[in-house]
């Protein structure tokens, strides 16, 4: 962990819930995209939100920034409540709470020059205009490793990596304290991803930023995050400091995720259990564990509702079987492969 | 690559060009590749390296403004580039099949999976409807689709991404091809589904004696199942060899750079990125195409194009100074 992490949280998410009314098989149903998700992010900290399709990770990002209205729950940012903030306050909060989307191609207006795109937040927030704004845009482009004259370019003239840098520049131009990164490197090649991860690390050190890093890539998580939240079917099923989670994954879903990561080198190949089934969308979910249908240790007791409980300091899991002693220590599982995630030969 | 047997596929000096208003883009410029029978060969490289164009060239499905400008693609002893289109049609699907990143874009949205598959068996094997249906059901089970009977009655949009990819694999294998080309088959899938599909491909190789070319940008997927690896850069293969060799003793600076660019476990440590960007194939750099970005380039690298030359049995590299990487890579 770099930088000083103070105890006062920058962002506090409490019982954040987002339900959608949908039709399923011709009947009305409720999709529980996000169910009572709670966590905090401290200044200077990077928290990873990990999950597969339908886990609710992007819904969480949208509800935190109030790009979507949550069904219930509270989001507090720098001491102000985002969920109920009136327009003026919300705009002020969004100056300090920014987002970078996965696909820079979709999130940049193709008919606007890079300079106009990056400078827009300055205008919206009344922070700068005219020459001052242009100078600020130039500075921020340099900060993210682009030539200032890129300001005159249009998105189609840039590579994927450059476009993602523009997305980051746009997010940073208003001097935020927290940036939500929604799969920022998923669409990029490995060498471009490396450049971007280096950049995010540099910027964090220089600007004392906090990140909420949303991803499905566990290699990236291990590299970038201080703490990890594992999301499954709208619920956090496990949360822990990064190294702890990789060394001692308690929830069977976390274990399945780690075992599913392909090895780094052919020499590390091992026989390991294949994850069963497919990610699950919580449509009118039963009260019990949402992973039970794919879990090797599922039993009768898993049908009852289960809370996220602390197992030791800072490490929490939502698993009845773990706390009742039925789910064995992860030592029983061959971590020889998963321990090698990201390791160089 | 290892083994003295005749490779199933031998590509020699393949050139695939795209004619654009600005000039001719040499997307593939002298590609050499051998694929041994029964092997899974990983074709890796970043966007624009020519991986997919290689696949389309093998299938002879390059569309204008693209064209195959020269070279040889020998498949099971025949030069595919010398075949008439009518003969090539018999090769596609029957002898060489292909699957893609987005199976839903390939499955007919208004035809049930079972009907598609049954039709293939009826047409290609001339068996009765009942027999064809039985064969279809067998194949649906072989690719690990749960509740095969229900899947047979499903439309593609009713299947999840992972199930649709399994259905696509079933269709691709229906005519018992010798070679399967899988173009980024797991890129759009979740982590837990990705591993299921790559293990499935490995199992099908054993079961049907398949040979597979796996096109991917994900080095870890290659590490997980490929026997051999071919690393592509700017329209050429720059390194080629058994997987263990390539991952543990890489002999091309680009391969070394790619391997090192993956996130390390050490939190916060700088990742080794590759300076610059992929070259413009309208005007590729003179000499070695990787030289402008290479950490060990010398004068000769910018002047003389290196050949893909053998270093050890089955291991070849397109680098003047491959031997210098002897110890550095470890």
């Amino acid at each position: 962990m770099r930088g000083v992490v103070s105890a006062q949280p920058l962002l506090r998410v409490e019982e954040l819930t987002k339900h959608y009314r949908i039709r399923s098989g011709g009947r009305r149903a409720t999709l529980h995209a996000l169910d009572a998700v709670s966590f905090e992010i401290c200044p200077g900290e990077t928290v990873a939100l990990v999950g597969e399709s339908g886990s609710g990770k992007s819904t969480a990002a949208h509800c935190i920034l109030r790009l979507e209205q949550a069904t219930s729950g509270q989001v507090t940012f720098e001491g102000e409540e985002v969920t109920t903030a009136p327009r003026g306050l919300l705009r002020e909060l969004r100056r300090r709470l920014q987002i970078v989307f996965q696909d820079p191609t979709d999130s940049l207006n193709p008919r606007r020059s890079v300079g106009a795109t990056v400078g827009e937040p300055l205008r919206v927030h009344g922070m700068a205009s005219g020459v001052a704004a242009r100078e600020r845009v130039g500075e921020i482009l340099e900060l993210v490793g682009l030539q200032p004259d890129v300001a005159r370019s249009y998105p189609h003239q840039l590579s994927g990596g450059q476009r993602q840098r523009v997305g980051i520049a746009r997010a940073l131009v208003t001097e935020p304290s927290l940036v939500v990164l929604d799969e920022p490197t998923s669409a990029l090649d490995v060498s471009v991803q490396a450049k971007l991860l280096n950049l995010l690390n540099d910027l964090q050190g220089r600007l004392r930023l906090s990140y909420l890093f949303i991803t499905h890539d566990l290699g990236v998580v291990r590299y970038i995050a201080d703490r990890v939240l594992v999301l499954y079917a709208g619920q956090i099923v496990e949360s822990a400091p990064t190294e702890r989670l990789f060394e001692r994954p308690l929830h069977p879903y976390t274990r399945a995720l780690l075992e599913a990561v392909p090895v780094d080198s052919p020499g590390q190949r091992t026989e390991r259990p294949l994850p069963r089934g497919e990610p699950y969308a919580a449509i009118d979910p039963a009260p019990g564990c949402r992973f039970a249908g794919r879990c090797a240790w599922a039993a009768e007791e898993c049908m009852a509702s289960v809370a996220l409980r602390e197992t030791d300091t800072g490490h929490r899991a939502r698993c009845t079987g773990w706390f009742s002693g039925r789910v064995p220590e992860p030592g029983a599982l061959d971590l020889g492969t998963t321990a090698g995630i990201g390791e160089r030969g | 690559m290892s083994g003295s047997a005749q490779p199933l596929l031998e590509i020699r000096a393949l050139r695939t060009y795209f004619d654009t208003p600005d000039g001719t883009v040499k997307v593939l410029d002298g590609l050499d590749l051998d694929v041994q029978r029964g092997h899974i060969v990983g074709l890796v490289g970043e966007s624009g390296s020519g991986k997919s164009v290689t696949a389309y060239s093998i299938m002879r499905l390059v569309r204008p403004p693209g064209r195959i400008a020269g070279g040889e693609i020998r498949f099971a002893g025949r030069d595919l580039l010398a075949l008439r289109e009518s003969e090539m049609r018999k090769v596609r699907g029957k002898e060489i099949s292909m699957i893609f990143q987005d199976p839903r874009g390939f499955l007919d949205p208004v035809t049930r999976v079972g009907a598609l598959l049954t039709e293939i068996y009826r047409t290609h094997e001339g068996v009765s409807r009942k027999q064809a249906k039985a064969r279809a059901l067998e194949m649906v089970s072989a690719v690990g689709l749960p509740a095969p009977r229900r899947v047979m009655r499903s439309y593609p949009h009713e299947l999840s991404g992972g199930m649709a990819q399994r259905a696509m694999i079933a269709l691709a294998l229906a005519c018992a091809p010798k070679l399967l080309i899988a173009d980024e088959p797991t890129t759009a899938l979740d982590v837990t589904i990705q591993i299921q599909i790559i293990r499935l491909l490995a199992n099908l190789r054993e079961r049907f004696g398949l040979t597979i070319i796996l096109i991917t940008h994900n080095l870890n997927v290659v590490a997980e199942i490929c026997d051999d690896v071919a690393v592509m850069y700017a329209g050429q293969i720059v390194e080629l060899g058994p997987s263990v060799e390539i991952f543990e003793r890489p002999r091309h600076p680009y391969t070394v750079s790619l391997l090192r660019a993956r996130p390390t476990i050490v939190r916060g440590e700088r990742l080794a990125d590759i300076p610059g960007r992929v070259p413009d194939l309208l005007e590729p750099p003179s000499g070695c195409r990787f030289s402008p970005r290479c950490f060990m380039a010398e004068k000769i690298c910018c002047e003389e194009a290196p050949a893909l030359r053998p270093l050890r049995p089955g291991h070849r590299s397109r680098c003047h100074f491959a031997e210098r990487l002897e110890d550095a890579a470890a």
Side-chain angles (χ1 to χ4, degrees):
Chain A
M1 204 180 302
R2 277 148 307 119
V4 185
V5 177
S6 68
Q8 185 63 31
L10 184 67
L11 179 81
R12 176 177 284 146
V13 175
E14 289 164 282
E15 304 280 304
L16 192 63
T17 300
K18 178 69 184 177
H19 290 175
Y20 296 98
R21 297 250 159 84
I22 58 164
R23 286 198 157 268
S24 174
R27 288 183 306 111
R28 282 163 200 259
T30 305
L31 169 65
H32 293 226
L34 211 57
D35 254 347
V37 165
S38 301
F39 64 93
E40 292 176 350
I41 300 179
C42 291
E45 197 182 22
T46 300
V47 173
L49 192 55
V50 180
E52 299 183 277
S53 347
S55 63
K57 55 191 197 298
S58 287
T59 304
H62 294 171
C63 289
I64 288 168
L65 277 109
R66 230 174 97 189
L67 301 172
E68 277 186 81
Q69 192 70 46
T71 305
S72 63
Q74 270 193 6
V75 176
T76 314
F77 173 67
E78 292 188 334
E80 304 275 4
E81 206 184 312
V82 180
T83 18
T84 57
R87 285 176 77 98
L89 177 60
L90 184 62
R91 186 183 301 155
E92 175 57 21
L93 291 175
R94 283 190 187 147
R95 186 175 74 73
R96 308 268 302 149
L97 173 59
Q98 283 282 0
I99 185 164
V100 175
F101 294 102
Q102 172 179 357
D103 193 340
T105 320
D106 291 345
S107 57
L108 298 178
N109 186 338
R111 301 200 298 198
R112 289 193 129 179
S113 71
V114 167
T117 294
V118 174
E120 190 198 20
L122 292 175
R123 202 172 42 74
V124 170
H125 294 288
M127 294 174 72
S129 59
V131 179
R134 277 200 296 280
E135 277 176 4
R136 177 80 186 121
V137 167
E139 277 168 31
I140 208 83
L141 288 175
E142 269 194 291
L143 185 70
V144 301
L146 293 169
Q147 297 292 325
D149 60 10
V150 167
R152 287 193 298 275
S153 310
Y154 286 83
H156 74 272
Q157 297 169 304
L158 307 176
S159 69
Q162 285 176 319
R163 281 197 287 262
Q164 196 53 290
R165 281 169 198 261
V166 171
I168 293 169
R170 186 186 196 282
L172 293 183
V173 77
T174 58
E175 298 173 22
S177 55
L178 176 65
V179 181
V180 177
L181 301 152
D182 192 359
E183 304 252 16
T185 64
S186 306
L188 303 175
D189 280 319
V190 60
S191 71
V192 184
Q193 168 177 280
K195 285 180 185 164
L196 216 65
L197 291 175
N198 283 337
L199 173 69
L200 291 172
N201 266 333
D202 290 348
L203 292 170
Q204 182 164 49
R206 288 165 72 169
L207 308 174
R208 200 161 183 263
L209 291 169
S210 300
Y211 292 137
L212 175 60
F213 202 106
I214 296 173
T215 182
H216 66 274
D217 186 329
L218 290 159
V220 171
V221 166
R222 194 161 195 181
Y223 176 70
I224 199 127
D226 300 309
R227 217 145 45 79
V228 187
L229 313 168
V230 182
L231 208 55
Y232 187 78
Q235 296 176 320
I236 293 180
V237 296
E238 185 161 3
S239 69
T242 307
E243 277 316 301
R244 187 103 46 97
L245 188 93
F246 279 82
E247 278 157 19
R248 193 166 171 249
L250 299 182
H251 198 283
Y253 175 61
T254 313
R255 298 182 193 192
L257 265 186
L258 290 174
E259 284 169 346
V261 176
V263 295
D264 275 337
S265 175
Q268 298 170 345
R269 284 178 198 170
T270 54
E271 286 294 321
R272 51 196 199 279
L274 268 187
R276 303 198 284 186
E278 306 218 343
Y280 156 82
I283 297 169
D284 291 336
C289 172
R290 293 180 185 175
F291 186 65
R294 301 174 72 186
C295 181
W297 293 286
E300 194 65 34
E301 62 176 5
C302 304
M303 310 302 265
S305 87
V306 48
L308 189 64
R309 279 172 58 192
E310 188 149 272
T311 170
D312 60 273
T313 317
H315 194 166
R316 300 193 296 165
R318 187 190 295 277
C319 178
T320 310
W322 168 255
F323 288 101
S324 73
R326 255 184 331 98
V327 173
E329 264 294 331
L333 154 165
D334 179 15
L335 274 177
T337 52
T338 48
I341 293 164
E343 218 163 40
R344 294 293 70 75
Chain B
M1 284 172 210
S2 55
S4 53
Q6 179 82 359
L8 178 65
L9 181 75
E10 296 164 273
I11 302 179
R12 291 289 172 272
L14 179 64
R15 284 171 289 135
T16 302
Y17 294 170
F18 282 72
D19 298 310
T20 73
D22 298 328
T24 299
V25 182
K26 299 177 176 179
V27 176
L28 298 182
D29 196 15
L31 184 105
D32 293 317
L33 177 67
D34 285 357
V35 177
Q36 299 294 339
R37 270 169 223 275
H39 281 216
I40 302 180
V41 177
L43 194 56
V44 294
E46 300 186 279
S47 316
S49 59
K51 307 186 295 285
S52 291
V53 174
T54 303
Y56 284 93
S57 299
I58 295 168
M59 298 291 276
R60 267 181 55 189
L61 288 172
V62 178
R63 297 266 172 263
R67 62 187 162 93
I68 296 176
E72 215 180 301
I73 301 176
R74 296 197 73 79
F75 174 76
R78 274 179 305 171
D79 183 6
L80 297 183
L81 298 183
L83 295 185
R84 279 198 300 273
E85 177 55 30
S86 59
E87 294 170 315
M88 191 60 211
R89 261 202 294 274
K90 290 180 195 144
V91 172
R92 279 184 217 122
K94 260 196 147 161
E95 295 186 59
I96 308 176
S97 255
M98 201 166 163
I99 60 171
F100 305 88
Q101 179 173 338
D102 175 21
R104 285 198 196 88
F106 254 81
L107 299 168
D108 180 357
V110 294
T111 309
R112 295 176 202 268
V113 171
L116 268 175
L117 203 47
T118 306
E119 185 58 31
I120 292 179
Y121 282 115
R122 293 252 300 160
T123 324
H124 283 271
E125 295 187 6
V127 294
S128 73
R129 180 167 295 278
K130 199 175 160 198
Q131 281 171 313
K133 211 173 160 188
R135 296 289 308 275
L137 197 61
E138 231 173 80
M139 184 54 84
V140 166
S141 310
V143 296
L145 279 161
R149 277 171 208 284
R150 208 181 67 211
V151 169
M152 293 272 283
R153 287 195 304 271
S154 303
Y155 290 101
H157 74 268
E158 297 173 310
L159 304 177
S160 68
M163 286 166 76
Q165 192 54 283
R166 288 179 193 268
M168 179 86 218
I169 292 171
L171 289 169
L173 298 186
C175 298
K178 298 187 184 82
L179 176 66
L180 176 71
I181 303 175
D183 190 357
E184 302 275 7
T186 65
T187 304
L189 301 176
D190 277 315
V191 191
T192 56
I193 307 305
Q194 166 173 278
I195 191 83
Q196 293 175 6
I197 297 291
I198 60 183
R199 290 285 181 79
L200 172 66
L201 290 175
N203 291 342
L204 293 172
R205 179 259 298 263
E206 300 296 329
R207 179 160 173 185
F208 296 109
L210 268 180
T211 301
I212 301 175
I213 296 178
L214 180 65
I215 296 175
T216 179
H217 69 282
N218 187 329
L219 290 161
N220 293 50
V221 166
V222 172
E224 187 73 43
I225 63 159
C226 292
D227 304 298
D228 311 295
V229 188
V231 182
M232 285 193 78
Y233 184 79
Q236 297 178 324
I237 284 176
V238 295
E239 188 168 7
L240 183 66
S243 297
V244 178
E245 280 275 307
I246 302 290
F247 278 83
E248 292 175 11
R249 288 174 288 276
R251 288 292 179 270
H252 193 284
Y254 178 62
T255 312
V256 171
S257 300
L258 267 188
L259 290 170
R260 284 192 195 148
R262 297 182 293 173
T264 60
I265 60 164
V266 186
R267 168 79 169 83
E269 188 180 282
R270 254 193 113 66
L271 298 178
D273 61 25
I274 308 175
R277 50 192 281 200
V278 178
D280 181 354
L281 293 179
L282 260 176
E283 292 169 66
S286 59
C288 167
R289 293 184 171 190
F290 187 60
S291 61
R293 309 176 71 188
C294 182
F295 56 83
M296 54 183 231
E298 292 192 12
K299 193 156 168 284
I300 184 180
C301 303
C302 314
E303 293 164 353
E304 233 172 84
L308 187 62
R309 61 191 174 91
L311 299 167
R312 268 200 285 271
H315 191 165
R316 295 193 287 164
S317 166
R318 193 185 287 279
C319 175
H320 290 303
F321 301 112
E323 285 79 4
R324 285 195 195 163
L325 288 163
E326 197 74 49
D327 300 309

